[in-house]
Amino acid sequence: MRLLPSTAALTAALAGCLVLLPGAAAAAESPGAAGFTLSDPRIKESSGLAASRAHPGVYWTHNDSDDGPYVYAVDSATGRTVARLALTGIGKPRDVEAISLGPDGQLYVGDIGDNLGGTWDHVWIYRFPEPKELRDATVKAEQFTVTYADGPRNAESLMVHPVTGRVYIASKDEQRGGLYEGPERLVPGDGRNVFRRIADAPWVTDGAFSPDGTRLTLRGYFTARTYGWKDGRPQGEGERVDAPWQGQAESVTYTADGRTLMFGSEGADSRVVAVPVARDPRPAPGKTSEGTPGEASPEPGATAAGGQPTAGEGDFTKGALVLGAGTVLVLAAKRLLGRRAPK
């Protein structure tokens, strides 16, 4: 007979997780932050956020799963939807998980989820221009077919670099998650756009580049980290962000001015929480990511003699593992709590 741990023991374990992840349980917004509530009853599973550049204070979002080919524009001053766009020119969406705005003024929607753990041999990205006027409309979108160089996988995070326009996807996996780089230019239609792994990034539910392209923030269910970004790669082990506690933490984006991170979640009347950007995680010129004077850190993704990761890759991997560690521990405890002890 399998013995289940006591509720008291699991509570202690959860408390230990929160000690390890001090920013994960913060529920209140920082003073002066401008969060808002998604009041549209049609938005029940907000799974992505992107700050508009054409319309200050407006955020684009969408539902997870089978809501249909819809994207919503929400006014952060009121929490009300000011436009719903219906996408045409694409197939039937399967699992829409992310949205990002590119330097070309176009919105990129990631139909990249695969809850069966990577059973589909391809996923899709949809792209369309951000509208100049905010009103309900039907828009024609381009569809891009995406595959991964190392095989199918589940993903919930799509980030378009605001300077280069290159698209990145972070897969979601407790042990084998990674950050993937798309081709320099996406090819529309049936042509395959192969994304290649450039770093480890386990259990990421969303990510976003800062507007100047020098930082990348990745979030999981219980924590988030911000990495410096240089030469198309994340740098160092990153800085912990005081991400809020949200029941189904699914989205993150920067405000248009780059001063604040906006964290969203699924659920009816879900709250988008604003967290001011604390400081720049980039290493100072002439210093390594640890702040020690000397040569610049090696590029993540390079390997040293003998096939071992260099310092740059190892640092990013260590920081990325924090995103997965708390999630694995807490989810394991929740599963045990949800089981009924044998009679």
Side-chain angles (χ1 to χ4, degrees), residues 93-130:
R94 288 188 297 210
D95 192 355
V96 178
E97 291 286 357
I99 188 168
S100 185
L101 184 63
D104 52 4
Q106 299 202 77
L107 286 162
Y108 293 68
V109 177
D111 188 0
I112 55 177
D114 187 347
N115 291 328
L116 297 178
T119 58
W120 294 324
D121 64 356
H122 68 278
V123 291
W124 298 297
I125 295 172
Y126 312 127
R127 185 178 70 184
F128 61 94
E130 183 177 22

PDB file of all heavy atoms in Angstrom, residues 93-130:
ATOM      1  N   PRO A  93      -7.739  27.226 -36.090  1.00  0.00           N
ATOM      2  CA  PRO A  93      -6.740  27.190 -35.021  1.00  0.00           C
ATOM      3  C   PRO A  93      -6.930  25.983 -34.104  1.00  0.00           C
ATOM      4  O   PRO A  93      -8.059  25.567 -33.836  1.00  0.00           O
ATOM      5  CB  PRO A  93      -6.988  28.496 -34.265  1.00  0.00           C
ATOM      6  CG  PRO A  93      -7.655  29.392 -35.261  1.00  0.00           C
ATOM      7  CD  PRO A  93      -8.500  28.485 -36.098  1.00  0.00           C
ATOM      8  N   ARG A  94      -5.802  25.435 -33.619  1.00  0.00           N
ATOM      9  CA  ARG A  94      -5.856  24.267 -32.735  1.00  0.00           C
ATOM     10  C   ARG A  94      -5.627  24.643 -31.274  1.00  0.00           C
ATOM     11  O   ARG A  94      -6.384  24.246 -30.397  1.00  0.00           O
ATOM     12  CB  ARG A  94      -4.802  23.237 -33.168  1.00  0.00           C
ATOM     13  CG  ARG A  94      -5.140  22.522 -34.449  1.00  0.00           C
ATOM     14  CD  ARG A  94      -4.182  21.378 -34.730  1.00  0.00           C
ATOM     15  NE  ARG A  94      -2.806  21.801 -34.940  1.00  0.00           N
ATOM     16  CZ  ARG A  94      -1.935  21.158 -35.712  1.00  0.00           C
ATOM     17  NH1 ARG A  94      -2.290  20.057 -36.344  1.00  0.00           N
ATOM     18  NH2 ARG A  94      -0.702  21.596 -35.857  1.00  0.00           N
ATOM     19  N   ASP A  95      -4.567  25.399 -31.005  1.00  0.00           N
ATOM     20  CA  ASP A  95      -4.231  25.743 -29.620  1.00  0.00           C
ATOM     21  C   ASP A  95      -3.398  27.025 -29.623  1.00  0.00           C
ATOM     22  O   ASP A  95      -2.168  26.996 -29.549  1.00  0.00           O
ATOM     23  CB  ASP A  95      -3.466  24.589 -28.960  1.00  0.00           C
ATOM     24  CG  ASP A  95      -3.342  24.764 -27.457  1.00  0.00           C
ATOM     25  OD1 ASP A  95      -3.756  25.808 -26.938  1.00  0.00           O
ATOM     26  OD2 ASP A  95      -2.820  23.840 -26.799  1.00  0.00           O
ATOM     27  N   VAL A  96      -4.087  28.150 -29.684  1.00  0.00           N
ATOM     28  CA  VAL A  96      -3.424  29.454 -29.750  1.00  0.00           C
ATOM     29  C   VAL A  96      -2.890  29.804 -28.358  1.00  0.00           C
ATOM     30  O   VAL A  96      -3.640  29.825 -27.386  1.00  0.00           O
ATOM     31  CB  VAL A  96      -4.383  30.535 -30.253  1.00  0.00           C
ATOM     32  CG1 VAL A  96      -3.693  31.895 -30.262  1.00  0.00           C
ATOM     33  CG2 VAL A  96      -4.885  30.177 -31.647  1.00  0.00           C
ATOM     34  N   GLU A  97      -1.607  30.099 -28.262  1.00  0.00           N
ATOM     35  CA  GLU A  97      -0.980  30.275 -26.948  1.00  0.00           C
ATOM     36  C   GLU A  97      -0.238  31.591 -26.763  1.00  0.00           C
ATOM     37  O   GLU A  97       0.075  31.956 -25.622  1.00  0.00           O
ATOM     38  CB  GLU A  97       0.011  29.127 -26.698  1.00  0.00           C
ATOM     39  CG  GLU A  97      -0.635  27.770 -26.498  1.00  0.00           C
ATOM     40  CD  GLU A  97      -1.299  27.628 -25.143  1.00  0.00           C
ATOM     41  OE1 GLU A  97      -1.201  28.566 -24.332  1.00  0.00           O
ATOM     42  OE2 GLU A  97      -1.911  26.574 -24.886  1.00  0.00           O
ATOM     43  N   ALA A  98       0.071  32.325 -27.830  1.00  0.00           N
ATOM     44  CA  ALA A  98       0.941  33.489 -27.642  1.00  0.00           C
ATOM     45  C   ALA A  98       0.698  34.540 -28.722  1.00  0.00           C
ATOM     46  O   ALA A  98       0.198  34.231 -29.816  1.00  0.00           O
ATOM     47  CB  ALA A  98       2.405  33.052 -27.661  1.00  0.00           C
ATOM     48  N   ILE A  99       1.073  35.777 -28.396  1.00  0.00           N
ATOM     49  CA  ILE A  99       0.953  36.880 -29.346  1.00  0.00           C
ATOM     50  C   ILE A  99       2.102  37.849 -29.109  1.00  0.00           C
ATOM     51  O   ILE A  99       2.539  38.048 -27.968  1.00  0.00           O
ATOM     52  CB  ILE A  99      -0.417  37.592 -29.204  1.00  0.00           C
ATOM     53  CG1 ILE A  99      -0.613  38.616 -30.337  1.00  0.00           C
ATOM     54  CG2 ILE A  99      -0.575  38.238 -27.830  1.00  0.00           C
ATOM     55  CD1 ILE A  99      -2.037  39.125 -30.421  1.00  0.00           C
ATOM     56  N   SER A 100       2.633  38.420 -30.189  1.00  0.00           N
ATOM     57  CA  SER A 100       3.757  39.336 -30.086  1.00  0.00           C
ATOM     58  C   SER A 100       3.688  40.332 -31.237  1.00  0.00           C
ATOM     59  O   SER A 100       3.168  40.017 -32.315  1.00  0.00           O
ATOM     60  CB  SER A 100       5.079  38.563 -30.132  1.00  0.00           C
ATOM     61  OG  SER A 100       6.189  39.405 -29.923  1.00  0.00           O
ATOM     62  N   LEU A 101       4.218  41.528 -30.992  1.00  0.00           N
ATOM     63  CA  LEU A 101       4.211  42.581 -32.014  1.00  0.00           C
ATOM     64  C   LEU A 101       5.616  42.748 -32.565  1.00  0.00           C
ATOM     65  O   LEU A 101       6.581  42.912 -31.806  1.00  0.00           O
ATOM     66  CB  LEU A 101       3.720  43.895 -31.408  1.00  0.00           C
ATOM     67  CG  LEU A 101       3.568  45.091 -32.351  1.00  0.00           C
ATOM     68  CD1 LEU A 101       2.520  44.817 -33.421  1.00  0.00           C
ATOM     69  CD2 LEU A 101       3.191  46.334 -31.556  1.00  0.00           C
ATOM     70  N   GLY A 102       5.745  42.700 -33.897  1.00  0.00           N
ATOM     71  CA  GLY A 102       7.048  42.817 -34.528  1.00  0.00           C
ATOM     72  C   GLY A 102       7.394  44.244 -34.906  1.00  0.00           C
ATOM     73  O   GLY A 102       6.543  45.134 -34.892  1.00  0.00           O
ATOM     74  N   PRO A 103       8.659  44.491 -35.287  1.00  0.00           N
ATOM     75  CA  PRO A 103       9.088  45.835 -35.694  1.00  0.00           C
ATOM     76  C   PRO A 103       8.449  46.291 -36.995  1.00  0.00           C
ATOM     77  O   PRO A 103       8.487  47.476 -37.320  1.00  0.00           O
ATOM     78  CB  PRO A 103      10.604  45.687 -35.843  1.00  0.00           C
ATOM     79  CG  PRO A 103      10.817  44.240 -36.140  1.00  0.00           C
ATOM     80  CD  PRO A 103       9.755  43.519 -35.359  1.00  0.00           C
ATOM     81  N   ASP A 104       7.852  45.358 -37.721  1.00  0.00           N
ATOM     82  CA  ASP A 104       7.165  45.691 -38.967  1.00  0.00           C
ATOM     83  C   ASP A 104       5.736  46.169 -38.716  1.00  0.00           C
ATOM     84  O   ASP A 104       4.977  46.403 -39.663  1.00  0.00           O
ATOM     85  CB  ASP A 104       7.147  44.482 -39.905  1.00  0.00           C
ATOM     86  CG  ASP A 104       6.596  43.220 -39.234  1.00  0.00           C
ATOM     87  OD1 ASP A 104       6.159  43.288 -38.064  1.00  0.00           O
ATOM     88  OD2 ASP A 104       6.604  42.158 -39.883  1.00  0.00           O
ATOM     89  N   GLY A 105       5.358  46.326 -37.437  1.00  0.00           N
ATOM     90  CA  GLY A 105       4.005  46.781 -37.126  1.00  0.00           C
ATOM     91  C   GLY A 105       2.959  45.704 -37.296  1.00  0.00           C
ATOM     92  O   GLY A 105       1.758  46.005 -37.326  1.00  0.00           O
ATOM     93  N   GLN A 106       3.398  44.455 -37.372  1.00  0.00           N
ATOM     94  CA  GLN A 106       2.456  43.355 -37.528  1.00  0.00           C
ATOM     95  C   GLN A 106       2.382  42.515 -36.254  1.00  0.00           C
ATOM     96  O   GLN A 106       3.375  42.359 -35.532  1.00  0.00           O
ATOM     97  CB  GLN A 106       2.853  42.478 -38.714  1.00  0.00           C
ATOM     98  CG  GLN A 106       2.863  43.228 -40.048  1.00  0.00           C
ATOM     99  CD  GLN A 106       2.731  42.289 -41.227  1.00  0.00           C
ATOM    100  OE1 GLN A 106       1.651  41.801 -41.541  1.00  0.00           O
ATOM    101  NE2 GLN A 106       3.845  42.014 -41.877  1.00  0.00           N
ATOM    102  N   LEU A 107       1.206  41.977 -36.012  1.00  0.00           N
ATOM    103  CA  LEU A 107       0.990  41.094 -34.874  1.00  0.00           C
ATOM    104  C   LEU A 107       1.235  39.650 -35.308  1.00  0.00           C
ATOM    105  O   LEU A 107       0.785  39.223 -36.377  1.00  0.00           O
ATOM    106  CB  LEU A 107      -0.425  41.254 -34.333  1.00  0.00           C
ATOM    107  CG  LEU A 107      -0.678  42.540 -33.538  1.00  0.00           C
ATOM    108  CD1 LEU A 107      -2.172  42.824 -33.428  1.00  0.00           C
ATOM    109  CD2 LEU A 107      -0.053  42.447 -32.142  1.00  0.00           C
ATOM    110  N   TYR A 108       1.935  38.909 -34.476  1.00  0.00           N
ATOM    111  CA  TYR A 108       2.237  37.512 -34.710  1.00  0.00           C
ATOM    112  C   TYR A 108       1.492  36.694 -33.666  1.00  0.00           C
ATOM    113  O   TYR A 108       1.659  36.919 -32.456  1.00  0.00           O
ATOM    114  CB  TYR A 108       3.730  37.243 -34.596  1.00  0.00           C
ATOM    115  CG  TYR A 108       4.582  37.881 -35.676  1.00  0.00           C
ATOM    116  CD1 TYR A 108       4.738  39.268 -35.751  1.00  0.00           C
ATOM    117  CD2 TYR A 108       5.255  37.098 -36.607  1.00  0.00           C
ATOM    118  CE1 TYR A 108       5.540  39.856 -36.723  1.00  0.00           C
ATOM    119  CE2 TYR A 108       6.060  37.668 -37.586  1.00  0.00           C
ATOM    120  CZ  TYR A 108       6.193  39.049 -37.643  1.00  0.00           C
ATOM    121  OH  TYR A 108       6.986  39.624 -38.607  1.00  0.00           O
ATOM    122  N   VAL A 109       0.677  35.749 -34.100  1.00  0.00           N
ATOM    123  CA  VAL A 109      -0.109  34.914 -33.199  1.00  0.00           C
ATOM    124  C   VAL A 109       0.415  33.489 -33.299  1.00  0.00           C
ATOM    125  O   VAL A 109       0.493  32.921 -34.393  1.00  0.00           O
ATOM    126  CB  VAL A 109      -1.603  34.967 -33.561  1.00  0.00           C
ATOM    127  CG1 VAL A 109      -2.414  34.045 -32.658  1.00  0.00           C
ATOM    128  CG2 VAL A 109      -2.127  36.403 -33.463  1.00  0.00           C
ATOM    129  N   GLY A 110       0.769  32.918 -32.145  1.00  0.00           N
ATOM    130  CA  GLY A 110       1.350  31.577 -32.125  1.00  0.00           C
ATOM    131  C   GLY A 110       0.329  30.501 -31.824  1.00  0.00           C
ATOM    132  O   GLY A 110      -0.112  30.361 -30.686  1.00  0.00           O
ATOM    133  N   ASP A 111      -0.049  29.733 -32.840  1.00  0.00           N
ATOM    134  CA  ASP A 111      -0.905  28.553 -32.671  1.00  0.00           C
ATOM    135  C   ASP A 111       0.042  27.375 -32.474  1.00  0.00           C
ATOM    136  O   ASP A 111       0.205  26.522 -33.340  1.00  0.00           O
ATOM    137  CB  ASP A 111      -1.778  28.378 -33.913  1.00  0.00           C
ATOM    138  CG  ASP A 111      -2.847  27.300 -33.748  1.00  0.00           C
ATOM    139  OD1 ASP A 111      -2.899  26.689 -32.663  1.00  0.00           O
ATOM    140  OD2 ASP A 111      -3.606  27.075 -34.702  1.00  0.00           O
ATOM    141  N   ILE A 112       0.701  27.354 -31.311  1.00  0.00           N
ATOM    142  CA  ILE A 112       1.868  26.499 -31.105  1.00  0.00           C
ATOM    143  C   ILE A 112       1.706  25.507 -29.954  1.00  0.00           C
ATOM    144  O   ILE A 112       2.624  24.755 -29.657  1.00  0.00           O
ATOM    145  CB  ILE A 112       3.124  27.362 -30.852  1.00  0.00           C
ATOM    146  CG1 ILE A 112       2.881  28.335 -29.683  1.00  0.00           C
ATOM    147  CG2 ILE A 112       3.512  28.124 -32.121  1.00  0.00           C
ATOM    148  CD1 ILE A 112       4.092  29.176 -29.313  1.00  0.00           C
ATOM    149  N   GLY A 113       0.551  25.503 -29.296  1.00  0.00           N
ATOM    150  CA  GLY A 113       0.351  24.576 -28.192  1.00  0.00           C
ATOM    151  C   GLY A 113       0.121  23.150 -28.677  1.00  0.00           C
ATOM    152  O   GLY A 113      -0.389  22.922 -29.772  1.00  0.00           O
ATOM    153  N   ASP A 114       0.527  22.207 -27.860  1.00  0.00           N
ATOM    154  CA  ASP A 114       0.316  20.785 -28.146  1.00  0.00           C
ATOM    155  C   ASP A 114       0.284  20.062 -26.812  1.00  0.00           C
ATOM    156  O   ASP A 114       1.306  19.585 -26.320  1.00  0.00           O
ATOM    157  CB  ASP A 114       1.436  20.243 -29.040  1.00  0.00           C
ATOM    158  CG  ASP A 114       1.181  18.814 -29.497  1.00  0.00           C
ATOM    159  OD1 ASP A 114       0.278  18.161 -28.929  1.00  0.00           O
ATOM    160  OD2 ASP A 114       1.891  18.341 -30.397  1.00  0.00           O
ATOM    161  N   ASN A 115      -0.890  20.004 -26.211  1.00  0.00           N
ATOM    162  CA  ASN A 115      -1.021  19.465 -24.864  1.00  0.00           C
ATOM    163  C   ASN A 115      -0.742  17.971 -24.770  1.00  0.00           C
ATOM    164  O   ASN A 115      -0.651  17.424 -23.668  1.00  0.00           O
ATOM    165  CB  ASN A 115      -2.425  19.751 -24.324  1.00  0.00           C
ATOM    166  CG  ASN A 115      -2.627  21.236 -24.052  1.00  0.00           C
ATOM    167  OD1 ASN A 115      -1.685  21.939 -23.687  1.00  0.00           O
ATOM    168  ND2 ASN A 115      -3.841  21.712 -24.239  1.00  0.00           N
ATOM    169  N   LEU A 116      -0.615  17.308 -25.910  1.00  0.00           N
ATOM    170  CA  LEU A 116      -0.290  15.884 -25.904  1.00  0.00           C
ATOM    171  C   LEU A 116       1.217  15.655 -25.923  1.00  0.00           C
ATOM    172  O   LEU A 116       1.679  14.544 -26.147  1.00  0.00           O
ATOM    173  CB  LEU A 116      -0.960  15.182 -27.082  1.00  0.00           C
ATOM    174  CG  LEU A 116      -2.496  15.213 -27.071  1.00  0.00           C
ATOM    175  CD1 LEU A 116      -3.052  14.525 -28.303  1.00  0.00           C
ATOM    176  CD2 LEU A 116      -3.041  14.557 -25.803  1.00  0.00           C
ATOM    177  N   GLY A 117       1.960  16.745 -25.722  1.00  0.00           N
ATOM    178  CA  GLY A 117       3.402  16.601 -25.546  1.00  0.00           C
ATOM    179  C   GLY A 117       4.210  16.526 -26.819  1.00  0.00           C
ATOM    180  O   GLY A 117       5.317  15.989 -26.818  1.00  0.00           O
ATOM    181  N   GLY A 118       3.707  17.057 -27.909  1.00  0.00           N
ATOM    182  CA  GLY A 118       4.463  17.052 -29.146  1.00  0.00           C
ATOM    183  C   GLY A 118       4.054  15.941 -30.089  1.00  0.00           C
ATOM    184  O   GLY A 118       4.879  15.137 -30.536  1.00  0.00           O
ATOM    185  N   THR A 119       2.755  15.895 -30.419  1.00  0.00           N
ATOM    186  CA  THR A 119       2.262  14.851 -31.321  1.00  0.00           C
ATOM    187  C   THR A 119       2.002  15.377 -32.729  1.00  0.00           C
ATOM    188  O   THR A 119       1.870  14.583 -33.658  1.00  0.00           O
ATOM    189  CB  THR A 119       0.958  14.250 -30.770  1.00  0.00           C
ATOM    190  OG1 THR A 119      -0.010  15.284 -30.611  1.00  0.00           O
ATOM    191  CG2 THR A 119       1.202  13.592 -29.431  1.00  0.00           C
ATOM    192  N   TRP A 120       1.926  16.684 -32.884  1.00  0.00           N
ATOM    193  CA  TRP A 120       1.698  17.253 -34.209  1.00  0.00           C
ATOM    194  C   TRP A 120       3.030  17.535 -34.887  1.00  0.00           C
ATOM    195  O   TRP A 120       3.934  18.117 -34.286  1.00  0.00           O
ATOM    196  CB  TRP A 120       0.884  18.539 -34.097  1.00  0.00           C
ATOM    197  CG  TRP A 120      -0.514  18.293 -33.593  1.00  0.00           C
ATOM    198  CD1 TRP A 120      -1.310  17.230 -33.865  1.00  0.00           C
ATOM    199  CD2 TRP A 120      -1.262  19.128 -32.700  1.00  0.00           C
ATOM    200  NE1 TRP A 120      -2.522  17.350 -33.227  1.00  0.00           N
ATOM    201  CE2 TRP A 120      -2.520  18.501 -32.502  1.00  0.00           C
ATOM    202  CE3 TRP A 120      -1.013  20.336 -32.063  1.00  0.00           C
ATOM    203  CZ2 TRP A 120      -3.509  19.045 -31.691  1.00  0.00           C
ATOM    204  CZ3 TRP A 120      -1.989  20.878 -31.250  1.00  0.00           C
ATOM    205  CH2 TRP A 120      -3.224  20.241 -31.073  1.00  0.00           C
ATOM    206  N   ASP A 121       3.137  17.146 -36.149  1.00  0.00           N
ATOM    207  CA  ASP A 121       4.416  17.322 -36.829  1.00  0.00           C
ATOM    208  C   ASP A 121       4.652  18.760 -37.272  1.00  0.00           C
ATOM    209  O   ASP A 121       5.732  19.090 -37.748  1.00  0.00           O
ATOM    210  CB  ASP A 121       4.531  16.365 -38.023  1.00  0.00           C
ATOM    211  CG  ASP A 121       3.485  16.661 -39.103  1.00  0.00           C
ATOM    212  OD1 ASP A 121       2.628  17.544 -38.900  1.00  0.00           O
ATOM    213  OD2 ASP A 121       3.530  15.982 -40.152  1.00  0.00           O
ATOM    214  N   HIS A 122       3.643  19.625 -37.101  1.00  0.00           N
ATOM    215  CA  HIS A 122       3.830  21.039 -37.404  1.00  0.00           C
ATOM    216  C   HIS A 122       2.819  21.865 -36.615  1.00  0.00           C
ATOM    217  O   HIS A 122       1.790  21.360 -36.172  1.00  0.00           O
ATOM    218  CB  HIS A 122       3.676  21.309 -38.902  1.00  0.00           C
ATOM    219  CG  HIS A 122       2.272  21.116 -39.399  1.00  0.00           C
ATOM    220  ND1 HIS A 122       1.758  19.872 -39.723  1.00  0.00           N
ATOM    221  CD2 HIS A 122       1.259  22.006 -39.614  1.00  0.00           C
ATOM    222  CE1 HIS A 122       0.499  20.003 -40.125  1.00  0.00           C
ATOM    223  NE2 HIS A 122       0.165  21.286 -40.053  1.00  0.00           N
ATOM    224  N   VAL A 123       3.151  23.128 -36.420  1.00  0.00           N
ATOM    225  CA  VAL A 123       2.243  24.100 -35.807  1.00  0.00           C
ATOM    226  C   VAL A 123       2.243  25.339 -36.698  1.00  0.00           C
ATOM    227  O   VAL A 123       2.873  25.354 -37.757  1.00  0.00           O
ATOM    228  CB  VAL A 123       2.668  24.439 -34.359  1.00  0.00           C
ATOM    229  CG1 VAL A 123       2.454  23.248 -33.442  1.00  0.00           C
ATOM    230  CG2 VAL A 123       4.119  24.898 -34.302  1.00  0.00           C
ATOM    231  N   TRP A 124       1.524  26.399 -36.273  1.00  0.00           N
ATOM    232  CA  TRP A 124       1.388  27.561 -37.152  1.00  0.00           C
ATOM    233  C   TRP A 124       1.629  28.880 -36.423  1.00  0.00           C
ATOM    234  O   TRP A 124       1.426  28.992 -35.219  1.00  0.00           O
ATOM    235  CB  TRP A 124      -0.031  27.622 -37.745  1.00  0.00           C
ATOM    236  CG  TRP A 124      -0.397  26.447 -38.592  1.00  0.00           C
ATOM    237  CD1 TRP A 124       0.185  26.041 -39.763  1.00  0.00           C
ATOM    238  CD2 TRP A 124      -1.461  25.522 -38.332  1.00  0.00           C
ATOM    239  NE1 TRP A 124      -0.447  24.921 -40.251  1.00  0.00           N
ATOM    240  CE2 TRP A 124      -1.469  24.574 -39.390  1.00  0.00           C
ATOM    241  CE3 TRP A 124      -2.414  25.392 -37.324  1.00  0.00           C
ATOM    242  CZ2 TRP A 124      -2.383  23.532 -39.463  1.00  0.00           C
ATOM    243  CZ3 TRP A 124      -3.323  24.345 -37.373  1.00  0.00           C
ATOM    244  CH2 TRP A 124      -3.304  23.437 -38.436  1.00  0.00           C
ATOM    245  N   ILE A 125       2.044  29.852 -37.205  1.00  0.00           N
ATOM    246  CA  ILE A 125       2.082  31.253 -36.780  1.00  0.00           C
ATOM    247  C   ILE A 125       1.221  32.041 -37.763  1.00  0.00           C
ATOM    248  O   ILE A 125       1.300  31.822 -38.982  1.00  0.00           O
ATOM    249  CB  ILE A 125       3.520  31.811 -36.779  1.00  0.00           C
ATOM    250  CG1 ILE A 125       4.373  31.094 -35.720  1.00  0.00           C
ATOM    251  CG2 ILE A 125       3.528  33.319 -36.545  1.00  0.00           C
ATOM    252  CD1 ILE A 125       5.846  31.456 -35.784  1.00  0.00           C
ATOM    253  N   TYR A 126       0.404  32.937 -37.237  1.00  0.00           N
ATOM    254  CA  TYR A 126      -0.420  33.816 -38.075  1.00  0.00           C
ATOM    255  C   TYR A 126       0.095  35.249 -37.922  1.00  0.00           C
ATOM    256  O   TYR A 126       0.470  35.674 -36.828  1.00  0.00           O
ATOM    257  CB  TYR A 126      -1.886  33.757 -37.651  1.00  0.00           C
ATOM    258  CG  TYR A 126      -2.412  32.353 -37.465  1.00  0.00           C
ATOM    259  CD1 TYR A 126      -3.043  31.968 -36.279  1.00  0.00           C
ATOM    260  CD2 TYR A 126      -2.272  31.389 -38.468  1.00  0.00           C
ATOM    261  CE1 TYR A 126      -3.525  30.678 -36.096  1.00  0.00           C
ATOM    262  CE2 TYR A 126      -2.740  30.100 -38.294  1.00  0.00           C
ATOM    263  CZ  TYR A 126      -3.371  29.744 -37.107  1.00  0.00           C
ATOM    264  OH  TYR A 126      -3.835  28.466 -36.927  1.00  0.00           O
ATOM    265  N   ARG A 127       0.092  35.989 -39.025  1.00  0.00           N
ATOM    266  CA  ARG A 127       0.606  37.362 -38.991  1.00  0.00           C
ATOM    267  C   ARG A 127      -0.323  38.293 -39.743  1.00  0.00           C
ATOM    268  O   ARG A 127      -0.785  37.971 -40.836  1.00  0.00           O
ATOM    269  CB  ARG A 127       2.013  37.417 -39.611  1.00  0.00           C
ATOM    270  CG  ARG A 127       2.671  38.793 -39.507  1.00  0.00           C
ATOM    271  CD  ARG A 127       4.075  38.762 -40.094  1.00  0.00           C
ATOM    272  NE  ARG A 127       4.071  38.616 -41.548  1.00  0.00           N
ATOM    273  CZ  ARG A 127       5.160  38.479 -42.302  1.00  0.00           C
ATOM    274  NH1 ARG A 127       6.353  38.412 -41.718  1.00  0.00           N
ATOM    275  NH2 ARG A 127       5.079  38.361 -43.606  1.00  0.00           N
ATOM    276  N   PHE A 128      -0.576  39.459 -39.159  1.00  0.00           N
ATOM    277  CA  PHE A 128      -1.408  40.475 -39.810  1.00  0.00           C
ATOM    278  C   PHE A 128      -1.047  41.851 -39.271  1.00  0.00           C
ATOM    279  O   PHE A 128      -0.554  41.981 -38.139  1.00  0.00           O
ATOM    280  CB  PHE A 128      -2.895  40.179 -39.568  1.00  0.00           C
ATOM    281  CG  PHE A 128      -3.300  40.193 -38.126  1.00  0.00           C
ATOM    282  CD1 PHE A 128      -3.807  41.336 -37.530  1.00  0.00           C
ATOM    283  CD2 PHE A 128      -3.163  39.048 -37.354  1.00  0.00           C
ATOM    284  CE1 PHE A 128      -4.172  41.350 -36.195  1.00  0.00           C
ATOM    285  CE2 PHE A 128      -3.531  39.043 -36.019  1.00  0.00           C
ATOM    286  CZ  PHE A 128      -4.031  40.196 -35.433  1.00  0.00           C
ATOM    287  N   PRO A 129      -1.270  42.920 -40.049  1.00  0.00           N
ATOM    288  CA  PRO A 129      -0.908  44.264 -39.601  1.00  0.00           C
ATOM    289  C   PRO A 129      -1.781  44.724 -38.436  1.00  0.00           C
ATOM    290  O   PRO A 129      -2.988  44.470 -38.415  1.00  0.00           O
ATOM    291  CB  PRO A 129      -1.161  45.131 -40.843  1.00  0.00           C
ATOM    292  CG  PRO A 129      -1.217  44.179 -41.987  1.00  0.00           C
ATOM    293  CD  PRO A 129      -1.751  42.899 -41.441  1.00  0.00           C
ATOM    294  N   GLU A 130      -1.168  45.394 -37.483  1.00  0.00           N
ATOM    295  CA  GLU A 130      -1.947  45.996 -36.408  1.00  0.00           C
ATOM    296  C   GLU A 130      -2.843  47.075 -37.027  1.00  0.00           C
ATOM    297  O   GLU A 130      -2.356  47.955 -37.737  1.00  0.00           O
ATOM    298  CB  GLU A 130      -1.026  46.612 -35.360  1.00  0.00           C
ATOM    299  CG  GLU A 130      -1.792  47.182 -34.182  1.00  0.00           C
ATOM    300  CD  GLU A 130      -0.890  47.736 -33.082  1.00  0.00           C
ATOM    301  OE1 GLU A 130       0.278  48.067 -33.378  1.00  0.00           O
ATOM    302  OE2 GLU A 130      -1.370  47.842 -31.946  1.00  0.00           O
TER     303      GLU A 130
END
